[in-house]
């Protein structure tokens, strides 16, 4: 709120002051927590709230907090009062981080960003059964830790004990760009473990 007074003078006498009050309305800022991310577990995640804004061009302060973390995670935010905090995605799963900005007068509405941490290794999983018997076949699902790059990727699977289990044919599965899974056949040869 501003108060302005006007006094005029003819050089001999001054007028009575006329007072006008001017009130400005602050508009709330807008928080932008950035785009959702998918990372490999163990990665350092860099968040970016730099697109947050204030229509009145007031300076912003930043407050980031975890809304949720995967069970067992001990992740903590470094530099949570800046526009670009970071944390280590220490467990596979989904992390939701919330940003609220303040323009020195009022808080923004919250904006959340979701970070999904995927396994850092290729995994294999038998489909439709937990055991493979001698003389039997089953499918095995190959799962990449991140989406296959442009051009796709070939994953070759071999058995460490071919007297117990063999792979395929084929022994190579091609996972198309953007995909994460492919299936192969495994063959039980004789009782044992591998």
């Amino acid at each position: 709120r501003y108060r302005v007074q006007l006094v005029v003078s003819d050089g001999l006498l001054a007028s009575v002051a006329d007072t006008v009050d001017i009130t400005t309305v602050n508009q709330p800022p807008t928080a932008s927590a950035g785009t959702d991310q998918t990372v490999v577990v163990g990665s350092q995640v860099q968040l970016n709230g730099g697109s947050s804004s204030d229509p009145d061009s007031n300076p912003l302060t930043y407050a980031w907090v975890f809304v949720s973390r995967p069970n067992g995670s001990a992740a903590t935010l470094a530099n949570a009062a800046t526009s670009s905090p970071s944390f280590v995605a220490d467990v596979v799963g989904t992390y939701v981080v919330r940003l609220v900005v303040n323009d020195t007068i009022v808080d923004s509405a919250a904006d959340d960003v979701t970070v999904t941490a995927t396994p850092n290794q290729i995994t294999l999983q038998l489909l439709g059964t937990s055991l493979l018997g001698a003389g039997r076949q089953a499918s095995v699902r190959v799962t990449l830790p991140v989406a296959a790059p442009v051009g796709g990727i070939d994953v070759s699977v071999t058995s460490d004990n071919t007297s117990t289990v063999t792979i395929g044919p084929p022994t190579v599965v091609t996972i198309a760009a953007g995909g994460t899974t492919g299936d192969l056949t495994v063959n039980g040869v004789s009782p044992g473990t591998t």
Side-chain angles (χ1 to χ4, degrees):
R1 181 178 138 186
Y2 300 92
R3 178 166 279 177
V4 178
Q5 287 188 331
L6 174 64
V7 176
V8 294
S9 172
D10 63 4
L12 298 174
L13 295 173
S15 69
V16 175
D18 188 20
T19 303
V20 176
D21 286 333
I22 301 171
T23 303
T24 61
V25 177
N26 179 64
Q27 298 177 68
T30 300
S32 176
T35 57
D36 293 346
Q37 300 180 46
T38 299
V39 301
V40 174
V41 70
S43 298
Q44 178 153 334
V45 178
Q46 190 69 48
L47 302 175
N48 186 353
S51 292
S52 299
S53 61
D54 184 65
D56 304 310
S57 299
N58 293 333
L60 297 176
T61 57
Y62 298 83
W64 295 83
V65 295
F66 280 108
V67 174
S68 64
R69 293 177 289 191
N71 287 338
S73 173
T76 58
L77 287 165
N79 302 310
T82 68
S83 65
S84 300
S86 63
F87 70 94
V88 174
D90 60 343
V91 174
V92 170
T94 302
Y95 299 77
V96 179
V97 187
R98 176 166 292 159
L99 171 62
V100 173
V101 295
N102 183 287
D103 66 358
T104 72
I105 299 169
V106 66
D107 284 345
S108 68
D111 188 39
D112 294 348
V113 61
T114 299
V115 177
T116 303
T118 61
N120 62 358
Q121 57 193 8
I122 294 174
T123 57
L124 302 176
Q125 177 186 9
L126 278 174
L127 300 177
T129 183
S130 58
L131 296 172
L132 178 63
R136 305 237 182 223
Q137 286 187 329
S139 292
V140 64
R141 170 136 315 139
V142 177
T143 303
L144 300 177
V146 295
V150 173
I153 191 167
D154 290 335
V155 178
S156 177
V157 178
T158 60
S159 173
D160 63 352
N161 185 351
T162 56
S163 65
T164 303
V165 173
T166 62
I167 308 298
T171 60
V172 176
V173 62
T174 299
I175 300 175
T180 57
T181 62
D183 295 345
L184 288 172
T185 300
V186 291
N187 309 287
V189 177
S190 65
T193 58
T194 184

